[in-house]
Amino acid sequence: MRMRSWLVMGLMAWSVAGCGDTEDTTKTGRLQLRTGKNVAEAPACTLEGPACAAGTQCMSFMLDGKREQRCLGTEVCTDWLRCSGGTQCVILESYPAQVACSGTCTGSDCDTAVSSPATP
């Protein structure tokens, strides 16, 4: 349990570290399905239940502009989803777990970071 506390504190510090930036240069990668995968193959889940099958957990992610919640295992980033622009797929501890892209995205297949101001 002590290790988990350090991990959560580290993730919080990492997420707050970028708050002072004033430049609008950060781009985030997009989650994309791996070839041959279809999210409809994984059972949908909600906060209200029912519980996911053993070996899986409820995971939330944005795919093609739509929020999905599916019962998936920890192999979600190696077998199901990938990130664009050289970013890395990560699972953030929460309920439901959040699957996102980490790192700065390069190329044309990127999204503007949420904290970046909109341009006129």
Side-chain angles (χ1 to χ4, degrees):
M1 188 65 167
R2 187 177 192 116
M3 178 73 115
R4 180 175 278 181
S5 296
W6 282 103
L7 177 61
V8 170
M9 287 176 24
L11 286 173
M12 287 173 42
W14 173 76
S15 65
V16 172
C19 289
D21 293 347
T22 56
E23 268 188 61
D24 184 19
T25 59
T26 304
K27 302 285 186 176
T28 60
R30 287 189 187 126
L31 281 171
Q32 300 169 334
L33 278 173
R34 291 191 179 270
T35 303
K37 291 295 183 175
N38 181 347
V39 291
E41 296 171 14
C45 56
T46 66
L47 295 175
E48 294 82 31
C52 292
T56 66
Q57 62 179 322
C58 192
M59 295 193 185
S60 178
F61 50 92
M62 187 71 74
L63 192 61
D64 296 327
K66 182 181 174 197
R67 175 69 52 193
E68 297 276 351
Q69 284 188 188
R70 300 289 175 166
C71 293
L72 295 164
T74 55
E75 75 285 345
V76 66
C77 288
T78 56
D79 293 351
W80 285 85
L81 301 172
R82 64 181 182 86
C83 289
S84 66
T87 58
Q88 181 178 356
C89 180
V90 295
I91 302 169
L92 304 174
E93 286 190 36
S94 62
Y95 188 83
Q98 303 291 312
V99 182
C101 296
S102 177
T104 301
C105 187
T106 57
S108 61
D109 199 13
C110 302
D111 288 329
T112 302
V114 174
S115 61
S116 298
T119 54

